[in-house]
Amino acid sequence: MAATAPFAKMNGIGNEIIVADMRGRADRVTPAAAIALNADPATRFDQIMAIHDARTPGTAYFVDILNSDGSGAQACGNGMRCVVQALAAETGQSVFTFETIAGILNATQHKGGLISVDMGTPRFGWQEIPLAEEFRDTRMIELQIGPIDAPVLHSPSAVSMGNPHAIFWVDRDVWSYDLDRFGPLLENHPIFPERANITIAQVTSPETMIIRTWERGAGLTKACGSAACAAAVAAARTRRTGRSVTLQAPGGQLQVEWREDDHVVLTGAAEWEFSGTFDPTTGNWQRDTESAA
């Protein structure tokens, strides 16, 4: 049995996160451990954010991200905020530079507790997202669900925020769509060779949106930070909003700014729930005695 590692159960506006401390170790959290942790109602999660020692000069840590089905993820904005809060409480620092498989991310914890994460630059090329066939303009791609002459959802915007996203624009309440039925079909559609995060978005003003997201590898979630970024960028790109937007997700509010330097900054809260230790190989875990019951 591998030596146990500390973890914190947290959430980013309802996006359920496990922050695992894998510093000083050569092993990784296995897909089997992720699946086992997710099977326990107490540790059910959307993403695991595993903090490893830095592997690139100029960064403080490498963060490995796993979905609840054990698959890898390139980006998770809500999870990064949880990582920042955990490390800020430990170190007293407020500014961090991380490496993920999607690239380098900078993050800041502000006075008052809100946390901003620079999610990098969006990508719009069909091969970069990626899509399985060429679309010269990814502001609207040919994809629909439902009858051909009366589709329920159609013509999404496609964008990569380090991971692939499709945003379906709707005029009525986002809750009126059966996303837990459509989500798996769209996530696994052949047009998305690496699967995709699926978001339903309703623009309510030039500065506000409402979104619901089916996350690739995690399912229906209360919030998805990279999806909020993708929706905000796509809304600005299609002239539905400006470049700074407040998004209402089921779990709470997020602010996204698509800066003039092309970087996308996500700002929101993070919340600690409890801590414990776990086996990164099997997922067996134990709550810390000082954690709240």
Side-chain angles (χ1 to χ4, degrees):
M1 175 176 172
T4 58
F7 77 89
K9 177 66 169 57
M10 305 181 69
N11 77 79
I13 69 163
N15 200 174
E16 298 294 340
I17 302 295
I18 288 177
V19 177
D21 186 357
M22 300 293 288
R23 290 173 291 179
R25 307 172 62 110
D27 57 338
R28 299 177 62 185
V29 180
T30 67
I35 292 169
L37 283 167
N38 190 58
D40 188 325
T43 50
R44 190 162 291 153
F45 66 91
D46 299 314
Q47 276 81 33
I48 291 177
M49 313 294 291
I51 306 171
H52 293 264
D53 296 321
R55 63 183 194 182
T56 299
T59 63
Y61 308 98
F62 176 80
V63 181
D64 193 27
I65 309 172
L66 287 86
N67 294 314
S68 57
D69 66 356
S71 63
Q74 295 100 326
C76 178
N78 290 329
M80 290 307 302
R81 293 203 314 280
C82 292
V83 169
V84 169
Q85 188 188 82
L87 289 173
E90 173 194 319
T91 66
Q93 296 176 245
S94 59
V95 178
F96 298 90
T97 300
F98 302 101
E99 183 183 7
T100 71
I101 61 172
I104 306 299
L105 298 178
N106 296 302
T108 302
Q109 178 164 286
H110 306 287
K111 291 181 179 179
L114 289 180
I115 298 162
S116 293
V117 179
D118 183 340
M119 298 289 289
T121 58
R123 293 188 286 276
F124 306 117
W126 70 274
Q127 292 173 307
E128 298 173 306
I129 292 171
L131 303 174
E133 61 184 83
E134 180 178 359
F135 287 91
R136 293 187 178 181
D137 187 351
T138 54
R139 288 176 293 185
M140 184 176 70
I141 67 171
E142 295 175 16
L143 177 63
Q144 67 180 44
I145 195 100
I148 293 177
D149 56 349
V152 178
L153 296 169
H154 65 91
S155 308
S157 299
V159 59
S160 170
M161 284 304 309
N163 50 1
H165 291 268
I167 302 95
F168 289 86
W169 306 105
V170 299
D171 295 324
R172 66 176 194 265
D173 183 7
V174 298
W175 293 96
S176 65
Y177 296 85
D178 193 2
L179 187 55
D180 47 358
R181 181 163 66 91
F182 299 142
L185 301 175
L186 291 165
E187 173 194 352
N188 294 286
H189 192 281
I191 195 64
F192 303 118
E194 296 180 7
R195 301 185 293 165
N197 297 274
I198 307 299
T199 295
I200 298 176
Q202 179 189 16
V203 174
T204 50
S205 82
E207 298 84 27
T208 58
M209 298 170 58
I210 303 171
I211 61 171
R212 290 178 68 210
T213 298
W214 177 275
E215 282 199 60
R216 178 186 64 165
L220 197 61
T221 57
K222 293 181 180 179
C224 175
S226 62
C229 294
V233 166
R237 192 171 179 237
T238 56
R239 301 187 183 277
R240 288 175 164 89
T241 69
R243 296 175 71 98
S244 183
V245 181
T246 298
L247 299 100
Q248 181 68 48
Q253 283 191 349
L254 292 166
Q255 287 78 47
V256 176
E257 181 185 7
W258 185 15
R259 298 189 320 212
E260 292 300 327
D261 66 0
D262 204 30
H263 282 242
V264 182
V265 178
L266 173 73
T267 301
E271 182 180 14
W272 183 91
E273 296 177 15
F274 66 85
S275 61
T277 55
F278 81 113
D279 184 329
T281 300
T282 66
N284 294 333
W285 70 280
Q286 184 173 359
R287 187 190 295 256
D288 287 345
T289 55
E290 65 270 20
S291 290

